[in-house]
Amino acid sequence: MEKPVRIALDAMGGDFGPSVVVPGAAMFMERSADVSFLMFGDQDKVSPFLKSIPRLAAATELRHTSVTVGMADKPSQALRTTRRHSSMWMAIEAVRNGEADCAVSAGNTGALMAMSKICLRTMAQIDRPALAALWPTLRGRSIVLDVGATIGADAQHYVDLAIMGAAMARSLLDLERPTVGLLNVGVEEVKGIEEVKAASRLLQAIDSPLLDYRGFVEGDDIGRGTVDVVVTEGFSGNIALKTAEGTAKQLRAYLKKSLTSSLRNKLGAILARGAFEDLKAKLSPRDASGAVFLGLDGVVIKAHGGVDADVFSGAIEIGANMVRHGLLEKIRDMMTLANEHAAALEGVARADCAEAPPPDAV
């Protein structure tokens, strides 16, 4: 029997608010037992959708707020004007207060990150949270992080990302020792910026039974599924994510245009319907419907702002799975193991310093 989970929902978040959030929650209930919801939003706008789905209404507590974070609001503006009163903040706060196991919002990404960091704070030894996404690959699914939470990274932050990503892979993909790679411009050790090369040396020094570091990977390795976890900083990770999403839409448009361009192609499409349905399922955004904020002392899921109800239900599912599989506990366990190798890491750092040329060297 599945572990009971209570999920806090920002009912007003995203491009469509309760018209997507409420039916999305109902769809998830059809696939999962022992789930209940705390919804935060404008009662006059949310209640009509809830009343139309009695089973969901019976498992949902709706708390009213008329304050909503706009999709175009700057994080600083959202914190200044809507903090503690918005549907987004109240959903996160429910996790902090122990009223919910996780929070899901399709709202403003920057505001959600800022509010989550202030309300929940980061876990011990984690300086900056990361946004981790599930990525469809030729081998199944991989995890890519950071895909946009913070820009830039030093060597230690890359190591933290690797540890958190591996913990998520162990939780969501049921992998005992996930393989990890650092995204780089080449697989050779001499390539890349110094921060990435230094992070690679640190990860090589970690001899963990919970993480299998495989070195550098390139952009085309993401779709191949060369490793279970791909680590990069938020700027390049977000570009990779948006590029992949755009390419998938482009391929679907090409395919649709080709299949409807002539009677012969239309007949062929009917005969190959099974294959096309399989392809559609593989390109479906549900598996990539939500990203996880890793490094927070609580579980927060960011759903894409323009999703439909089916895809939003996938974001809720990711949150429930993170709770049921003990994501936070796994991250803490892996951080503890990493600390046990602190001496090895310090030894590598000292060796780097010894090899570095003096500041006035040419």
Side-chain angles (χ1 to χ4, degrees), residues 84-147:
R84 303 188 187 283
H85 302 291
S86 67
S87 55
M88 180 182 288
W89 175 275
M90 294 170 71
I92 300 165
E93 191 174 45
V95 177
R96 185 190 68 184
N97 295 341
E99 296 180 284
D101 298 300
C102 71
V104 182
S105 174
N108 183 312
T109 303
L112 184 64
M113 170 57 80
M115 289 185 179
S116 297
K117 189 172 181 180
I118 289 175
C119 187
L120 297 175
R121 308 219 178 255
T122 56
M123 300 174 69
Q125 304 168 51
I126 300 294
D127 291 329
R128 296 190 290 170
L131 197 56
L134 274 173
W135 203 290
T137 74
L138 295 177
R139 293 176 55 242
R141 295 183 297 175
S142 293
I143 291 167
V144 180
L145 74 164
D146 183 7
V147 293

Side-chain angles (χ1 to χ4, degrees), residues 217-236:
V217 294
E218 297 182 87
D220 58 347
D221 287 310
I222 302 177
R224 291 176 182 172
T226 303
V227 292
D228 301 313
V229 180
V230 177
V231 174
T232 186
E233 54 80 42
F235 184 81
S236 56

Side-chain angles (χ1 to χ4, degrees), residues 84-362:
R84 303 188 187 283
H85 302 291
S86 67
S87 55
M88 180 182 288
W89 175 275
M90 294 170 71
I92 300 165
E93 191 174 45
V95 177
R96 185 190 68 184
N97 295 341
E99 296 180 284
D101 298 300
C102 71
V104 182
S105 174
N108 183 312
T109 303
L112 184 64
M113 170 57 80
M115 289 185 179
S116 297
K117 189 172 181 180
I118 289 175
C119 187
L120 297 175
R121 308 219 178 255
T122 56
M123 300 174 69
Q125 304 168 51
I126 300 294
D127 291 329
R128 296 190 290 170
L131 197 56
L134 274 173
W135 203 290
T137 74
L138 295 177
R139 293 176 55 242
R141 295 183 297 175
S142 293
I143 291 167
V144 180
L145 74 164
D146 183 7
V147 293
T150 56
I151 305 301
D154 58 18
Q156 185 56 53
H157 185 55
Y158 280 114
V159 174
D160 292 343
L161 292 175
I163 291 171
M164 292 189 293
M168 180 175 168
R170 295 182 68 234
S171 298
L172 196 59
L173 306 181
D174 196 26
L175 300 171
E176 185 61 30
R177 193 169 186 246
T179 56
V180 177
L182 280 174
L183 188 64
N184 201 0
V185 295
V187 298
E188 298 85 356
E189 292 186 4
V190 296
K191 288 189 174 181
I193 60 176
E194 186 53 42
E195 290 81 2
V196 173
K197 291 190 286 187
S200 183
R201 292 190 288 270
L202 292 175
L203 286 167
Q204 288 171 1
I206 297 179
D207 181 22
S208 171
L210 305 179
L211 183 156
D212 181 9
Y213 177 61
R214 296 290 181 88
F216 296 142
V217 294
E218 297 182 87
D220 58 347
D221 287 310
I222 302 177
R224 291 176 182 172
T226 303
V227 292
D228 301 313
V229 180
V230 177
V231 174
T232 186
E233 54 80 42
F235 184 81
S236 56
N238 189 263
I239 291 174
L241 178 66
K242 297 295 175 58
T243 301
E245 289 175 342
T247 301
K249 292 177 182 178
Q250 183 180 359
L251 289 175
R252 285 196 293 267
Y254 280 161
L255 185 61
K256 181 178 181 180
K257 184 177 180 180
S258 177
L259 293 177
T260 57
S261 62
S262 67
L263 178 60
R264 179 180 178 181
N265 286 358
K266 290 178 182 178
L267 291 173
I270 293 174
L271 294 175
R273 180 177 297 173
F276 289 129
E277 288 297 324
D278 183 56
L279 177 61
K280 181 180 178 181
K282 285 184 170 62
L283 293 176
S284 169
R286 180 189 288 174
D287 275 351
S289 56
V292 184
F293 283 143
L294 295 179
L296 297 170
D297 198 11
V299 179
V300 177
I301 308 299
K302 169 65 177 78
H304 297 312
V307 297
D308 59 19
D310 184 35
V311 177
F312 188 81
S313 74
I316 298 175
E317 185 169 3
I318 290 174
N321 286 337
M322 293 294 92
V323 173
R324 286 171 173 151
H325 294 286
L327 171 66
L328 300 184
E329 291 76 11
K330 284 183 170 66
I331 292 177
R332 292 189 181 99
D333 290 346
M334 293 189 69
M335 291 299 296
T336 299
L337 283 174
N339 288 336
E340 292 175 356
H341 294 88
L345 298 180
E346 290 174 4
V348 172
R350 285 195 297 271
D352 286 344
C353 290
E355 293 174 3
D360 57 347
V362 177

